[in-house]
Amino acid sequence: MWRGDREGRAPVLLPHSPLLLLGAGTVTFLVAGYVCTVITYPLFGPHVVFAYRTWNDYLLLYVVLLTGAGALLGRALRGHASRGHTFPGCATRTGAVATAAAAAMCVAVCVGLAFPLGELGESMRVRAERWDHQDHWLRERAARGARVLPYKPLSVSGMGEPFGHRGGKTWPARCVADYYHLKRITRAERLP
């Protein structure tokens, strides 16, 4: 029967040099970010560093890197707390402090993200209602044979929209026109 204690057993998945592993992960993340930026530069031009879509290209690798760093840090703290202390109860207190610090950090991160995500959720709901209305209107007019129709950008949290950057972004307008089978769209100041 398997028991929770692992005394006398070799650690599982503990790398011989965690700093080398973390360094390799960091270099991989930076190279992947650079490659994503270089690949998307022809499309976004000098504004590539502000394009939210390119940040998402290597966000998964960033999350994996942070998770791995957290796991290595947790193993190091656990190893530090369980060995090398001669006073009775010292390892237990150190482990409890490390656990409490990790829990506090987790709560702080979750609370810190809750407010922006709450605002984003409401903004997305409002945008979805407006987008559904405009989508229905555009589909109806395109089905009647219209070739050029007005379109009001409905941006949320800096997402790319047609006519963004004071009219400098023209490619999203072509995509929207193609999507609705139109020749082109024009910028509208209010919803149709």
Side-chain angles (χ1 to χ4, degrees), residues 14-24 72:
L14 185 60
H16 291 290
S17 69
L19 290 179
L20 181 64
L21 183 63
L22 190 59
L72 292 173

Short mmCIF file of all heavy atoms in Angstrom, two decimals, residues 14-24 72:
data_model
loop_
_atom_site.label_atom_id
_atom_site.label_comp_id
_atom_site.label_asym_id
_atom_site.label_seq_id
_atom_site.Cartn_x
_atom_site.Cartn_y
_atom_site.Cartn_z
N LEU A 14 12.86 15.65 -9.48
CA LEU A 14 13.69 16.74 -8.97
C LEU A 14 14.94 16.83 -9.83
O LEU A 14 15.77 15.92 -9.85
CB LEU A 14 14.07 16.48 -7.51
CG LEU A 14 14.82 17.61 -6.82
CD1 LEU A 14 13.97 18.88 -6.83
CD2 LEU A 14 15.17 17.23 -5.41
N PRO A 15 15.07 17.90 -10.62
CA PRO A 15 16.22 18.00 -11.51
C PRO A 15 17.52 18.17 -10.71
O PRO A 15 17.52 18.68 -9.60
CB PRO A 15 15.91 19.24 -12.35
CG PRO A 15 14.95 20.02 -11.54
CD PRO A 15 14.20 19.05 -10.69
N HIS A 16 18.62 17.74 -11.32
CA HIS A 16 19.92 17.86 -10.65
C HIS A 16 20.35 19.32 -10.54
O HIS A 16 21.00 19.68 -9.58
CB HIS A 16 20.97 17.05 -11.40
CG HIS A 16 20.74 15.58 -11.27
ND1 HIS A 16 20.92 14.91 -10.09
CD2 HIS A 16 20.31 14.66 -12.16
CE1 HIS A 16 20.63 13.64 -10.25
NE2 HIS A 16 20.25 13.45 -11.52
N SER A 17 20.03 20.14 -11.51
CA SER A 17 20.37 21.57 -11.42
C SER A 17 19.14 22.39 -11.81
O SER A 17 18.94 22.71 -12.98
CB SER A 17 21.57 21.89 -12.29
OG SER A 17 21.24 21.80 -13.65
N PRO A 18 18.32 22.75 -10.83
CA PRO A 18 17.10 23.49 -11.14
C PRO A 18 17.35 24.86 -11.76
O PRO A 18 16.57 25.33 -12.58
CB PRO A 18 16.39 23.61 -9.80
CG PRO A 18 17.33 23.16 -8.76
CD PRO A 18 18.44 22.43 -9.43
N LEU A 19 18.46 25.50 -11.39
CA LEU A 19 18.75 26.81 -11.97
C LEU A 19 19.05 26.70 -13.46
O LEU A 19 18.65 27.57 -14.25
CB LEU A 19 19.92 27.48 -11.24
CG LEU A 19 19.61 27.94 -9.81
CD1 LEU A 19 20.84 28.56 -9.18
CD2 LEU A 19 18.45 28.92 -9.81
N LEU A 20 19.74 25.63 -13.86
CA LEU A 20 20.00 25.42 -15.29
C LEU A 20 18.69 25.17 -16.04
O LEU A 20 18.47 25.72 -17.12
CB LEU A 20 20.95 24.24 -15.47
CG LEU A 20 21.34 23.92 -16.92
CD1 LEU A 20 22.10 25.08 -17.53
CD2 LEU A 20 22.17 22.65 -16.97
N LEU A 21 17.81 24.38 -15.45
CA LEU A 21 16.51 24.11 -16.06
C LEU A 21 15.67 25.39 -16.17
O LEU A 21 15.07 25.66 -17.21
CB LEU A 21 15.76 23.06 -15.24
CG LEU A 21 14.41 22.60 -15.78
CD1 LEU A 21 14.58 21.92 -17.13
CD2 LEU A 21 13.74 21.67 -14.79
N LEU A 22 15.66 26.19 -15.11
CA LEU A 22 14.93 27.45 -15.13
C LEU A 22 15.54 28.42 -16.15
O LEU A 22 14.82 29.11 -16.87
CB LEU A 22 14.92 28.07 -13.73
CG LEU A 22 14.02 29.26 -13.51
CD1 LEU A 22 12.57 28.90 -13.80
CD2 LEU A 22 14.16 29.76 -12.09
N GLY A 23 16.87 28.45 -16.24
CA GLY A 23 17.53 29.30 -17.23
C GLY A 23 17.19 28.89 -18.66
O GLY A 23 16.94 29.73 -19.52
N ALA A 24 17.17 27.57 -18.90
CA ALA A 24 16.81 27.07 -20.24
C ALA A 24 15.37 27.43 -20.58
O ALA A 24 15.07 27.82 -21.71
CB ALA A 24 17.00 25.56 -20.31
N LEU A 72 9.73 24.44 -8.74
CA LEU A 72 11.11 24.32 -8.28
C LEU A 72 11.33 25.08 -6.98
O LEU A 72 12.03 24.60 -6.07
CB LEU A 72 12.07 24.82 -9.36
CG LEU A 72 12.14 23.96 -10.63
CD1 LEU A 72 12.99 24.65 -11.69
CD2 LEU A 72 12.67 22.58 -10.31
#
